[in-house]
Amino acid sequence: MTLTDIKFSDYIRDFEQTLKHLFHVQADIDQLSLERGLPPEILKGIMDQKPLSVAIPTEYGGRGSIVKECLGLLAAASYESLPLSLTFGINIALFLEPVSKYADESVKKGIFDNFLEKGQMGGLMITEPDYGSDALNMKTASKVVPEGYQIKGTKHWQGLTGMADYWIIAARNENENGDLGRDIDFFLCDITKPKQQIVVEELYDNPGLYMIPYGLNQLDLVVPQNFRLKPETTGIKMMLDILHRSRMQFPGMGMGFIKRMLDEAMEHCRTRIVGAGNLMAIDNVQFQLSRIQSAYTICSAMCAHSSEISGIEHNLAMEGLEANTMKAVVTDLMQESAQLLVQLSGAKGYRTSHIGGRGIMDSRPFQIFEGSNEMLYNQTADMVTRLMKKQKQSNLFDFLAEFKITFQPVAYFKEELSFQLSENLSQRKMVDLGKILARVICVGYVLKLQEKGYRKDLVENCITMVKQEVSALIASLKFENKVSAIEDYSTGSSWLDFA
């Protein structure tokens, strides 16, 4: 029997049961989470289930790179452990899918066999100490040598540093004068091979995601010619396709995590007695639970939508608006859900050994890596305002009512969004606008999910919660604030002098 002979519903049920046994019977995930890494026997028990087969094509023995299955696996993992889900997310979106789509046919079988048979892993190296989101100015250089390509540079904050067996490395071509080209190339690296070892100079003390090692890597490698990924057009567009597809898989990691936060919060509020009743009887508790439930609904809708549009058969280089929306909104919702669970749980939630306490730290970097959310919201607003200017349209509602991904949900926001948008918004206002646009787009995903038969009561509650959030964001957008930081603030501002 091959992996594809097993129905996904059966496969994912077995996988969930395996995680429950490993994390709650064989070991205690609350205690495991206090230590760096995972015990080898626990990791082996997980990898024996061949979880990464969901991102390997059927012709190489995998389940076929079906987005629904990839997101389902990420959700199952993140219900038990967000770091485990991110480990899978790195492997799936930042390594296996790019290999499937862009690697030379001569190298695919060996890589996929090692993932399936040996439980090997892979990651992606883009970020450098001096160039984070400014990836186009990276200094890692590649040049042609008789044996293939020589790659030299420094990379850091790569998930699975020192743990992955394979890497995809981004570099810029160095010409004869030593200048670096504008485009970006991507190369495979197999650390088990001669001249391809990566030197880990430092492992970072990341305050969350203890299971995943991050660090500083020095590169001085020579890789074969067939280890270069082959773009469809340019390397920059290949990078955008990879990153946008990865951002569209964030809802999978968010799904199980938010559901866990919701389940834990509901159970605590049902069983915690205060006075004559439980926490459920308190109005503000109902409001807080509804916020997590709204996040659950939005994330569910994102997963359904991503399943339709983000497969490797699609080129997502030009889909920044939806990719940014999914990544930024779902990671904001993940952090908020963890914060709400801890608030509802009281003192006992504020522990690393509590799912909520570590959930705050584990979900926080999701708002930073693969593009900080403020940057993504700013980009979202910029994309829309450019289109508005092109169409000579200044009324926000009128534009969104004709825009393909907002024409349906914007009807719920007619009163709030019927205003003229200033042509010269400051960057801080663009971030506010981006948050508004992203949430309107998400309501579109939710409505689409309702059309398929999703619970109407959850949808109605969700829309009400989003409308309240958008109203608050519009108030922020319209509030005049040009305050700048005062650099010499400490002069004449010590309270001790005035007491």
Side-chain angles (χ1 to χ4, degrees):
M1 178 183 285
T2 65
L3 283 166
T4 50
D5 292 329
I6 305 169
K7 282 182 13 183
F8 183 67
S9 57
D10 295 331
Y11 176 82
I12 203 68
R13 186 182 63 250
D14 290 345
F15 180 69
E16 288 170 346
Q17 290 172 351
T18 297
L19 291 185
K20 280 186 172 62
H21 176 78
L22 291 171
F23 286 155
H24 301 287
V25 178
Q26 186 171 331
D28 180 355
I29 185 62
D30 290 335
Q31 294 304 309
L32 288 178
S33 297
L34 301 176
E35 305 293 331
R36 299 275 173 183
L38 263 184
E41 65 275 13
I42 300 293
L43 184 59
K44 183 180 185 304
I46 295 168
M47 298 309 290
D48 282 349
Q49 297 296 304
K50 302 189 189 306
L52 298 178
S53 65
V54 295
I56 293 175
T58 53
E59 59 265 38
Y60 297 100
R63 291 191 58 87
S65 296
I66 300 166
V67 177
K68 176 183 175 180
E69 295 195 2
C70 293
L71 299 187
L73 180 94
L74 294 175
S78 66
Y79 189 86
E80 298 293 345
S81 166
L82 186 56
L84 178 64
S85 186
L86 178 56
T87 298
F88 293 154
I90 291 167
N91 276 279
I92 291 170
L94 300 181
F95 187 81
L96 289 170
E97 289 177 339
V99 167
S100 295
K101 186 165 184 176
Y102 294 112
D104 193 272
E105 288 298 327
S106 62
V107 303
K108 290 183 181 180
K109 187 178 187 305
I111 292 172
F112 293 143
D113 283 352
N114 284 336
F115 270 70
L116 288 171
E117 295 165 14
K118 299 179 183 178
Q120 291 192 338
M121 294 192 190
L124 173 66
M125 291 189 171
I126 296 179
T127 306
E128 300 181 2
D130 294 326
Y131 300 93
S133 296
D134 185 20
L136 298 183
N137 283 310
M138 69 176 66
K139 294 296 181 267
T140 300
S142 66
K143 64 180 179 182
V144 177
V145 293
E147 299 160 86
Y149 296 94
Q150 184 180 48
I151 303 164
K152 284 190 176 184
T154 305
K155 301 288 190 183
H156 79 157
W157 280 116
Q158 281 73 45
L160 307 179
T161 291
M163 182 178 173
D165 307 277
Y166 292 96
W167 291 96
I168 293 174
I169 300 168
R172 293 165 66 197
N173 180 58
E174 181 182 321
N175 63 26
E176 293 176 357
N177 300 326
D179 297 328
L180 298 180
R182 294 182 65 185
D183 202 15
I184 292 174
D185 288 315
F186 287 87
F187 301 91
L188 287 164
C189 165
D190 178 351
I191 67 164
T192 66
K193 296 290 194 294
K195 298 187 179 181
Q196 294 186 47
Q197 285 84 26
I198 291 169
V199 177
V200 180
E201 287 202 341
E202 179 187 358
L203 286 174
Y204 292 156
D205 56 340
N206 39 294
L209 301 172
Y210 274 20
M211 195 182 293
I212 304 176
Y214 290 89
L216 180 67
N217 301 286
Q218 287 296 340
L219 313 180
D220 188 356
L221 321 169
V222 176
V223 302
Q225 194 170 5
N226 63 346
F227 271 36
R228 178 178 176 269
L229 300 191
K230 296 181 287 187
E232 293 173 341
T233 52
T234 66
I236 290 174
K237 286 191 174 177
M238 175 167 61
M239 180 172 71
L240 289 173
D241 178 51
I242 292 169
L243 292 179
H244 289 167
R245 183 169 294 101
S246 175
R247 288 171 189 168
M248 288 186 182
Q249 292 193 13
F250 273 60
M253 294 182 281
M255 190 69 254
F257 179 79
I258 291 170
K259 187 177 190 303
R260 180 65 180 277
M261 298 300 108
L262 179 56
D263 287 350
E264 294 283 343
M266 297 283 279
E267 178 63 19
H268 175 74
C269 292
R270 275 193 290 260
T271 56
R272 180 71 165 179
I273 304 301
V274 179
N278 61 15
L279 286 177
M280 286 285 194
I282 300 173
D283 177 62
N284 193 56
V285 167
Q286 286 290 324
F287 174 66
Q288 290 173 302
L289 290 173
S290 296
R291 285 163 72 184
I292 309 178
Q293 220 160 57
S294 174
Y296 169 81
T297 303
I298 291 170
C299 192
S300 299
M302 284 185 183
C303 286
H305 186 63
S306 179
S307 296
E308 294 178 5
I309 67 169
S310 68
I312 57 173
E313 66 274 16
H314 302 292
N315 190 302
L316 304 178
M318 305 306 290
E319 302 302 325
L321 188 59
E322 293 199 75
N324 288 5
T325 290
M326 287 194 193
K327 188 272 181 185
V329 173
V330 80
T331 56
D332 280 353
L333 295 175
M334 290 164 69
Q335 174 68 189
E336 182 187 35
S337 297
Q339 294 280 0
L340 287 167
L341 172 59
V342 169
Q343 192 71 17
L344 289 164
S345 302
K348 80 171 190 177
Y350 192 63
R351 301 172 66 177
T352 308
S353 58
H354 186 275
I355 186 72
R358 69 174 175 271
I360 289 175
M361 295 308 295
D362 286 346
S363 64
R364 183 65 180 92
F366 281 71
Q367 296 174 294
I368 302 168
F369 57 54
E370 280 203 43
S372 74
N373 285 4
E374 288 78 8
M375 183 184 79
L376 299 183
Y377 285 130
N378 185 66
Q379 289 177 354
T380 296
D382 187 59
M383 287 180 234
V384 170
T385 52
R386 283 174 185 268
L387 286 171
M388 290 178 70
K389 286 175 184 174
K390 193 174 180 181
Q391 296 179 20
K392 295 183 170 57
Q393 176 62 268
S394 59
N395 185 285
L396 185 58
F397 175 82
D398 290 347
F399 172 80
L400 296 177
E402 298 293 327
F403 193 42
K404 65 177 182 178
I405 60 173
T406 55
F407 74 90
Q408 184 184 16
V410 79
Y412 289 88
F413 302 92
K414 183 170 184 178
E415 184 180 341
E416 293 87 354
L417 298 181
S418 293
F419 61 88
Q420 303 297 118
L421 201 59
S422 168
E423 282 194 12
N424 299 306
L425 291 174
S426 65
Q427 189 177 49
R428 66 187 74 180
K429 298 300 183 187
M430 290 287 276
V431 172
D432 284 338
L433 177 60
K435 289 179 179 179
I436 293 165
L437 294 167
R439 279 146 184 81
V440 173
I441 291 168
C442 287
V443 169
Y445 300 154
V446 171
L447 292 171
K448 192 174 171 187
L449 190 62
Q450 183 185 26
E451 290 171 1
K452 296 177 179 179
Y454 194 79
R455 285 186 63 151
K456 191 176 180 184
D457 52 357
L458 283 175
V459 170
E460 289 174 346
N461 287 356
C462 174
I463 291 172
T464 300
M465 300 299 284
V466 176
K467 284 188 72 174
Q468 180 178 0
E469 188 177 6
V470 167
S471 294
L473 286 166
I474 288 169
S476 177
L477 176 69
K478 292 182 176 180
F479 185 83
E480 189 65 27
N481 181 353
K482 296 181 180 178
V483 170
S484 296
I486 299 165
E487 292 193 31
D488 64 342
Y489 75 94
S490 60
T491 303
S493 67
S494 171
W495 71 270
L496 290 168
D497 297 334
F498 305 100

